[in-house]
Amino acid sequence: MALRAGGPALVLLRGRLRLPGPGARGHARLGRSGAAAQPATEEPGEDAEVSTRKKTFAEVQTERLDQAERTVLIKCPSKINEKKLLQYLSSHGNVKSHFFFENRGISALIEFSEKSSIASLQDAVGIPGASEHHVVPYKSRLFTFTLKNPVSQRMEETPLHLSPQCHIPVKDLIQKLCLADSISSQMYILLNEYQLTEENIKLRFLACSLVRDFARAYFPDSTVKPFGSSVNTFGKLGSDVDMFLDFHDTGKHATKMKKGPFEMEYQMKRLPSERLATQRILSVIGDCLDNFGPGCANVQKILHARCPLVKFSHQPTGFQCDLSVSNSIAIRSSELLYIYGCLDSRVRALVFTIRCWARVHGLTNSAPGTWITNFSLTMMVMFFLQKRSPPIIPTLDQLKELADEKDKHIIGGYDCSFVSDLRKIKPTKNTETLDVLLGEFFEYFGNFDFRKNSLNLRKGKEVNKPESSPLYIWNPFEQDLNISKNVNQPQLEKFIAMARESAWILQKEDKTQQMINKEPWGLAALLIPFGKSNSIRMKNRMKGIGSETIKSLLDSLKLNNASSQQKAVGK
């Protein structure tokens, strides 16, 4: 029998939550993943946690990649004795950590202390029989564990704690939010339920590491790393894994032979453009995953996109994956958001709240289209936090001023430099609560002059739009690009209308009366699609913003009509 829980750590996180005060630095104690896990709880080992929080983005990624190389994934029978499985695996080396999760059955992620333990295990594992299907003899780090005598061993099964790999449904979330005592508490509850867990992050890095094993058959010095939401502290359970094939180690190797009286280099295939080389590389890796990769399904090679990529489903981990080739600016964007997410307790809570709100109201969508993307929404939140008085997070130009020589990055002619050491960034003096910030966010963008102004995160200022896109958000690094160019006017107007309605609900609601009536309040009320809540609430809304808008239109028509009559009389 399998008990759905998050292991000891997750039980603690989701059972005893202490909310940080405004401006709490390093709020949601960063696990070794570098992804903030939850608001702080009172536990021993605080010094170790503080030390972990101060790790740079690069240090965290290096540690995670090393961890993944010492990890295997085992598909287990539904009835299993956890202790005996670990005893068997321990005969090959010390098991540093492990957890079970459900994905097409029960699976176990096993992290060894040493990489040599994996080689020992691989030497002892058999190749499946070919009675029905012929197998491709590729020895990966994916295994299947079976019981030779399942009937006799059934009595030895033990309950398993299964780590959740998806967030709870919105309707269940709303019920939890109604039990909170403030909107701030509701927002931290949402964050705790939706953010990536320690276990999920380990799975993401393992998926990248398994793809890297294939890539190294062709490119021995290459690595495969996650970027985007998997590493920037804003990832949501159930989101896709963006990964890229990195050849930077190959470039470092090339510089080693430049000293001395002679020079020697590899003979390599030469192609007319970097784009063509990228397409060729991804084509080969895509074919390799499709033909030989255990559990790699639905492989699609999208090689003629602006950024060529290979999409595939990695069934052993349950992730939908997008593989591209070195995208240095995307990595810098991931690190910038990582820094912002680590600076203050309110940043991630507000971002998760706004993105959940947007998804409920159909403002965002997982498929490409004319709607606002999660990345654009996140940047809108960052801009809003830069505009507070005093600012809650610094501008990109301010982070650039703190950068030293090792932080300087010029990529394709764009200056992507900013400080990487979190200790150099002064904490904010802003003490606004999340209750205030949520309402102010809706007020700010509900009344923003999108026709004239654009959002510039480098300067933290509204600036005149350089062109006529309905929504213009400057790319923080590639300053000639608009990251929200896909958004059309109807989608922007829908966002503005929803923001205004949400601001009105937060201003007008009577929390005490709604709690007495057992009605959703605060954030819970905002996560119910407008039009689907009860008739009383809909009438109240119509008396607010909607009726005021209609009233102003009618008044305008009356004035115009009176003016026309006066002109007629004058004639």
Side-chain angles (χ1 to χ4, degrees), residues 28 115 182 199 236 241 293 297 307 317 329-330 350 392 404 462 486 541 566:
K115 285 178 65 175
S182 69
E199 292 83 357
K236 183 184 78 170
V241 178
C307 179
T317 57
I329 289 182
L350 185 58
I392 292 176
D404 55 27
E462 303 165 5
N486 64 300
R541 286 178 187 145
Q566 286 175 358

Side-chain angles (χ1 to χ4, degrees), residues 19 52 55 123 133 150 169 190 258 268 272 295 327 344 369 387 407-408 479 545 547 560:
L19 306 180
T52 303
K55 288 180 180 176
D123 287 341
H133 303 284
L190 184 150
K258 292 196 174 180
M268 291 185 172
N327 189 340
D344 189 278
K387 294 283 290 180
D407 293 323
K408 291 184 178 178
Q479 284 279 279
I545 294 174
S547 61
N560 289 336

Side-chain angles (χ1 to χ4, degrees), residues 15 19 34 105 118 209 216 241 286 305 320 330-331 342 348 355 393 419 421 445-446 458 495 498 520 544:
L19 306 180
I118 296 178
S209 184
R216 285 194 172 176
V241 178
Q320 297 297 318
I331 304 307
C342 293
R348 296 175 63 248
R355 295 202 317 200
I393 59 174
V419 66
D421 189 345
F445 284 112
R458 285 202 79 93
F495 169 81
M498 293 296 177

Side-chain angles (χ1 to χ4, degrees), residues 393-460:
I393 59 174
T395 67
L396 183 52
D397 280 348
Q398 289 168 339
L399 293 177
K400 179 185 171 182
E401 290 174 4
L402 298 173
D404 55 27
E405 196 61 35
K406 66 177 174 54
D407 293 323
K408 291 184 178 178
H409 291 80
I410 306 297
I411 304 170
Y414 298 104
D415 191 347
C416 303
S417 305
F418 56 84
V419 66
S420 60
D421 189 345
L422 290 164
R423 294 168 296 183
K424 293 183 178 180
I425 306 171
K426 292 182 180 179
T428 180
K429 293 182 180 179
N430 184 300
T431 58
E432 291 175 298
T433 64
L434 278 170
D435 303 54
V436 170
L437 290 174
L438 183 62
E440 288 292 321
F441 175 88
F442 293 131
E443 284 278 352
Y444 181 76
F445 284 112
N447 295 288
F448 190 87
D449 189 356
F450 288 103
R451 292 171 299 176
K452 176 183 175 184
N453 294 326
S454 62
L455 284 60
N456 190 318
L457 280 86
R458 285 202 79 93
K459 303 182 183 302

Side-chain angles (χ1 to χ4, degrees), residues 263-375:
E263 191 172 303
M264 185 176 291
E265 61 185 16
Y266 287 102
Q267 294 184 27
M268 291 185 172
K269 185 81 172 181
R270 298 181 185 274
L271 296 172
S273 70
E274 182 181 4
R275 179 177 175 82
L276 182 58
T278 295
Q279 291 171 329
R280 294 268 184 95
I281 290 167
L282 286 176
S283 180
V284 170
I285 299 298
D287 286 341
C288 193
L289 292 173
D290 195 18
N291 292 308
F292 309 129
C296 293
N298 305 318
V299 178
Q300 302 175 58
K301 297 186 290 184
I302 308 173
L303 304 179
H304 296 288
R306 189 177 72 86
C307 179
L309 73 151
V310 173
K311 297 178 74 73
F312 63 97
S313 172
H314 193 256
Q315 294 176 341
T317 57
F319 294 125
Q320 297 297 318
C321 303
D322 288 353
L323 174 67
S324 54
V325 173
S326 300
N327 189 340
S328 300
I329 289 182
I331 304 307
R332 295 300 286 166
S333 294
S334 299
E335 182 170 359
L336 177 63
L337 287 177
Y338 169 85
I339 289 172
Y340 282 147
C342 293
L343 285 179
D344 189 278
S345 65
R346 295 163 289 180
V347 177
R348 296 175 63 248
L350 185 58
V351 168
F352 272 78
T353 296
I354 295 300
R355 295 202 317 200
C356 182
W357 165 84
R359 189 61 182 266
V360 164
H361 295 292
L363 298 173
T364 57
N365 195 299
S366 57
T370 58
W371 31 76
I372 301 174
T373 64
N374 274 331
F375 183 62

